[in-house]
Amino acid sequence: MMDLSIFLGMVGVPQVILIAVILLLLFGGRKIPELMRGLGSGIKEFKDASKNDEDDKQSKPASNKE
């Protein structure tokens, strides 16, 4: 299996620019902001849900009853 540090070391500025150009060609200039907005709202919902889950775990008393 490829080591993660080796994989991350191979991504540089030219590779990021290439990925950005490919995304621009695939989705077009108008669609990318919509995709980023959707991605941002999805991340926000995920963080809110994980925060609510942590709050629920902390507020419930631990019991070993089954």
Side-chain angles (χ1 to χ4, degrees), residues 7-56:
F7 175 72
L8 291 176
M10 293 188 305
V11 178
V13 175
Q15 288 83 12
V16 172
I17 293 172
L18 179 65
I19 291 169
V21 168
I22 290 172
L23 285 174
L24 186 62
L25 290 174
L26 287 176
F27 297 110
R30 294 182 192 170
K31 194 70 174 173
I32 291 177
E34 294 173 20
L35 291 171
M36 293 301 114
R37 246 181 255 117
L39 180 66
S41 65
I43 291 172
K44 183 182 177 198
E45 288 179 29
F46 178 78
K47 285 183 180 180
D48 290 343
S50 64
K51 182 181 175 192
N52 289 338
D53 188 39
E54 289 176 4
D55 291 343
D56 289 344

